[in-house]
């Protein structure tokens, strides 16, 4: 069965520091991969997606993620954290044509 | 343009009652999805509509849950004889077309259901 594992339910970084949120997937077929962000009392907002066109994917708000097939990973990074990045981040895989399978989420805290 | 909207934003009900949750997708989106997000978890798939028909309802937990989309736009998720374990945030998403490599699901803000 396909699944997504997000290591670290809570991550804290200092403002200006590197953000690294980890996501590993299992899929029997080449997947589509997504990162979503959820701010308090808001819906999920798409940050970026991997659709096999390029392994390094750039998204909104300075985030990017790299697809590494050999490691079955799709980690999310941002060079310099901003206070406004504090939110919950979800990695998702779409192994087929429509159903998303989400990880359990990582709550990012940015320290001043 | 307007995004996916869901009403109500919050719903408190008593155990055993019936509830309806509404989703208005983005105009022109043919595909619509319901997910359930329990506390501390990621969203879990419930049901997928393509047009008016439920193409996949394999995520509905039991027969107390039912969803309709009679005109291919607005959808209603219906829960009968609610139980405390049904308490969660119910998310709706829509997309223009399901299955393409560029297809992306856009999510609404969710309805927080609390069953007392």
């Amino acid at each position: 069965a396909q699944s997504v594992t997000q290591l670290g339910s809570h991550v804290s970084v200092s403002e200006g520091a590197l953000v690294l949120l980890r996501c590993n997937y299992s899929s029997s077929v080449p997947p589509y991969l997504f990162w979503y962000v959820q701010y308090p009392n808001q819906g999920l907002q798409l940050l970026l997606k991997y659709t096999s066109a390029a392994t390094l994917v750039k998204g909104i708000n300075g985030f990017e993620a790299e697809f590494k097939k050999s490691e079955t990973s799709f980690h999310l990074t941002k060079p310099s954290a901003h206070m406004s990045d504090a939110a919950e981040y979800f990695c998702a895989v779409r192994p087929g044509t429509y159903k998303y399978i989400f990880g359990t989420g990582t709550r990012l805290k940015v320290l001043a | 343009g307007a995004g996916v909207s869901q009403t109500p934003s919050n719903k408190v009900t008593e155990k055993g009652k019936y509830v309806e949750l509404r989703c208005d997708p983005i105009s022109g989106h043919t595909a619509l999805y319901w997910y359930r997000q329990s506390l501390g978890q990621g969203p879990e798939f419930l049901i997928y509509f393509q047009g008016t028909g439920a193409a996949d309802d394999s995520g509905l937990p039991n027969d107390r849950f039912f969803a309709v989309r009679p005109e291919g736009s607005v959808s209603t998720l219906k829960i009968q004889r609610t139980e405390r374990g049904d308490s969660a945030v119910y998310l709706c998403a829509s997309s223009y077309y399901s299955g393409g490599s560029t297809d992306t699901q856009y999510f609404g803000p969710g309805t927080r259901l609390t069953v007392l």
Side-chain angles (χ1 to χ4, degrees), chain A residues 36 49 51 90 94 97-98 100 103, chain B residues 56 98-102 104-105:
Chain A
Y36 281 85
K49 61 182 179 183
T51 59
F90 291 92
R94 197 189 88 192
T97 57
Y98 55 85
Y100 283 25
Chain B
D56 182 354
S98 174
S101 63
T102 58
T104 299
Q105 295 182 19

Side-chain angles (χ1 to χ4, degrees), chain B residues 49-69:
Chain B
F49 287 90
Q50 183 60 258
T52 60
D56 182 354
D57 64 358
S58 62
L60 295 178
N62 51 60
D63 61 7
R64 296 186 296 105
F65 288 74
F66 190 72
V68 295
R69 195 186 185 200

Side-chain angles (χ1 to χ4, degrees), chain A residues 30-53:
Chain A
Y32 295 136
L33 292 157
F34 304 80
W35 275 100
Y36 281 85
V37 60
Q38 187 175 39
Y39 298 101
N41 300 316
Q42 294 187 30
L44 294 164
Q45 180 182 359
L46 180 69
L47 275 178
L48 50 81
K49 61 182 179 183
Y50 167 75
T51 59
S52 76

Side-chain angles (χ1 to χ4, degrees), chain B residues 69-84:
Chain B
R69 195 186 185 200
E71 298 178 355
S73 178
V74 171
S75 176
T76 304
L77 179 65
K78 308 180 181 192
I79 310 174
Q80 298 177 319
R81 306 183 303 281
T82 52
E83 300 177 356
R84 292 193 180 87

Side-chain angles (χ1 to χ4, degrees), chain A residues 62-80:
Chain A
F63 284 93
E64 63 181 37
E66 186 172 8
F67 173 70
K68 292 187 177 181
K69 184 177 179 180
S70 61
E71 298 177 7
T72 60
S73 69
F74 191 56
H75 301 331
L76 181 71
T77 61
K78 181 174 181 178
S80 177

